[in-house]
């Protein structure tokens, strides 16, 4: 019998690295309709890339129109947007975008980051923002744009994050919230406001920035012309959304200190909820990120820039083999992958030992290592890297091991990966069964703005939360613990000098004429 979905509906929009999705949920959190488009991005050599802000909005409106057709005139009460962080849109005084938006992981900004380090100082930046000076953060992108696109910067009247740009186009109102503000490098994490000191030292006008509202605050109604273009019914209110991983944390119920979110997408974020941000210099030295969630919580964490991306990279080498076939082959391989170890540094080495010169590697290859062993090694290597981050976070003063681990994201549908992770962590993992947790979290924020619930706790209590637990096998957990300590940790440390040598060779190779 077909499921009956009751209006009003809520829509969560997820603007991710690979795709743009709009998903309608009913007030019990059940998925009623969905649409997706590839994320329009122009990728360039060297891991660079740009989004066309107008193309992003067009992809969103296409998705909304498809969802509206599926809802067949049933009313939508509210919606919100979750998106990648760090990227920004320059907006003129007529509300139009002025330039492309650098993709979130673009590192052409490294020289700009070095100049900011000389001008402001990494220690002062950390004291205010809780962050190390990472070239991908918004302030570095703006410094690069000022040097390379001075006309666009001179005409800019607003700087908006991607989710905020979409909400602005939907409503005509500019606003942001703490999770996206936390990825800018000019957000005071202690006062939860823009840092006029950092903006002044960087030569940026605070008037460029939107007001910071709480997640789930009502920005305004969807504009009539957007309703007409998409066919959305009702009078939907747009709420402030947030960074995609943190929107997912709302759906996962990360509501108190000590809960750990493992968000498994193209990139992986491992985020531990804390009662307050840390000022220990080890946070900066070890490359961890910090930010604000909601009105009270903070988070501490790290990311693997190529997690699901590493799996897709391996699939591309095997002729785009089906996931099911690879998983079946890997299940037939004993834990330990026939002695093969994978270092997942396809972009660079993440916390707790960040290194932009790092390189990935398969170690321990023999003629007997088949496709299943290599695929299992990829999954094990990603799990081992995540454990490195969790162990290092727990070792910081004032931090204790997580009381609970919850997993969301597309890769959480890989049962073998979750089993490996539970055994590597040595702890049970609660897996949120809704694979589109970012969209669900955004939809819940839309429901709060529309007045369906007073806050996130009430929203979570009202929906049908579906999840299951993956428990570790004690014998396998002990085996993986030995592998982690005796092989992965030592290998991770040993390869650092080699990585620098390989990085130097790569740079020299780029200078050789074709």
């Amino acid at each position: 019998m077909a499921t009956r979905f009751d209006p009003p509906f809520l829509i969560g929009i997820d603007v991710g690295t690979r795709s743009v999705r709009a998903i309608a949920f009913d007030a019990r959190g059940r998925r009623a309709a969905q649409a997706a488009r590839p994320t329009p991005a122009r990728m360039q050599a060297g891991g660079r890339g740009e989004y066309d802000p107008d193309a992003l909005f067009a992809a969103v409106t296409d998705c909304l129109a498809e969802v509206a057709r599926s809802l067949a005139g049933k009313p939508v009460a509210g919606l919100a947007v979750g998106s990648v962080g760090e990227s920004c849109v320059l907006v003129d005084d007529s509300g139009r975008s002025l330039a492309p938006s650098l993709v979130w992981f673009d590192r052409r900004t490294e020289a700009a980051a070095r100049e900011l380090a000389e001008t402001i100082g990494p220690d002062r930046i950390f004291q205010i923002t809780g962050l190390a000076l990472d070239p991908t953060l918004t302030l570095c992108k703006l410094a690069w744009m000022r040097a390379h696109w001075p006309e666009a910067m001179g005409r800019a009247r607003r700087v908006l994050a991607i989710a905020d740009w979409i909400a602005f186009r939907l409503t005509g109102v500019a606003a942001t919230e703490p999770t996206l503000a936390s990825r800018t490098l000019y957000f005071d994490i202690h006062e939860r406001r823009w840092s006029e000191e950092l903006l002044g030292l960087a030569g940026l006008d605070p008037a460029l920035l939107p007001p910071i509202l709480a997640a789930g605050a009502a920005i305004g109604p969807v504009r009539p012309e957007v309703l007409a273009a998409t066919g959305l019914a009702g009078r939907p209110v747009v709420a402030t959304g947030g960074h995609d991983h943190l929107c997912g944390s709302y759906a996962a119920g990360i509501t108190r200190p000590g809960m750990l979110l493992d968000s498994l997408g193209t990139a992986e974020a491992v985020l531990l909820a804390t009662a307050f941000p840390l000022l220990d210099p080890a946070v900066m030295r070890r490359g961890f990120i910090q930010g604000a969630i909601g009105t009270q919580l903070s988070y501490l964490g790290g990311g693997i820039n190529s997690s699901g991306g590493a799996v897709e990279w391996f699939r591309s080498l095997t002729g785009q083999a089906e996931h099911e076939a690879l998983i079946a082959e890997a299940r037939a391989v004993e834990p330990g992958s026939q002695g093969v170890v994978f270092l997942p540094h396809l972009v660079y080495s993440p916390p707790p030992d960040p290194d932009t010169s790092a390189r990935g590697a398969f170690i321990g290859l023999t003629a007997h290592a088949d496709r299943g062993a290599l695929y299992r090694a990829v999954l094990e290597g990603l799990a081992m890297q995540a454990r490195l981050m969790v162990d290092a976070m727990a070792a910081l003063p004032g931090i204790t091991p997580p009381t609970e681990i919850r997993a969301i994201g597309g890769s959480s549908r890989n049962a073998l990966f979750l089993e490996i992770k539970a055994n590597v962590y040595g702890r049970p993992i609660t897996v949120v069964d809704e694979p589109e947790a970012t969209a669900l979290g955004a939809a819940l924020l839309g429901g709060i703005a529309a007045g369906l619930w007073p806050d996130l706790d009430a929203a979570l209590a009202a929906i049908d939360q579906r999840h299951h637990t993956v428990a570790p096998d004690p014998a396998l957990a002990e085996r993986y613990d030995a592998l982690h300590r005796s092989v992965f940790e030592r290998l991770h440390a040993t390869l650092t000098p080699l990585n620098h040598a390989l990085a130097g060779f790569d740079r020299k190779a780029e200078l050789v004429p074709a």
Side-chain angles (χ1 to χ4, degrees), residues 46-48 102-119 122 133-145 147-148 185 305 347-349 354-359 503 507 510:
R48 301 176 176 183
L102 303 186
V103 297
W104 64 269
F105 50 84
D106 194 304
R107 297 186 69 85
R108 75 183 81 176
T109 53
E110 289 181 353
R114 288 192 293 270
E115 292 177 7
L116 287 170
E118 293 171 2
T119 302
L133 207 171
D134 186 307
T136 65
L137 298 171
T138 311
L139 184 61
C140 302
K141 287 178 165 61
L142 290 172
W144 185 92
M145 290 177 179
H148 293 82
L185 209 64
N305 276 5
V347 180
Y348 53 82
S349 176
D355 184 355
T356 58
S357 299
R359 296 292 184 270
R507 284 192 290 268
E510 289 173 0

Side-chain angles (χ1 to χ4, degrees), residues 443-459:
L444 296 181
L445 296 177
I448 293 168
L452 269 65
W453 309 292
D455 53 32
L456 183 61
D457 287 335

Side-chain angles (χ1 to χ4, degrees), residues 50 65 69 171 175 212 291 296 345 358 368 438:
E50 296 171 357
R69 288 193 294 271
T171 65
I212 303 171
Q296 301 294 328
H345 303 162
H368 302 292
T438 293

Side-chain angles (χ1 to χ4, degrees), residues 47 73 88 107 117 130 153 189 234 251 279 323 345 360 380 414 435 450-451 464 486:
C88 62
R107 297 186 69 85
M153 280 295 294
I189 194 173
L279 287 174
H323 286 285
H345 303 162
E380 290 179 342
N414 185 330
D464 297 333
S486 64

Side-chain angles (χ1 to χ4, degrees), residues 11-15 20-23 60 64 79-82 166 170 439 442:
I11 295 177
I13 299 168
D14 179 5
V15 181
V20 175
R21 297 183 290 279
I23 303 177
V60 168
L64 289 175
L79 60 89
V81 186
I166 301 301
L170 290 170

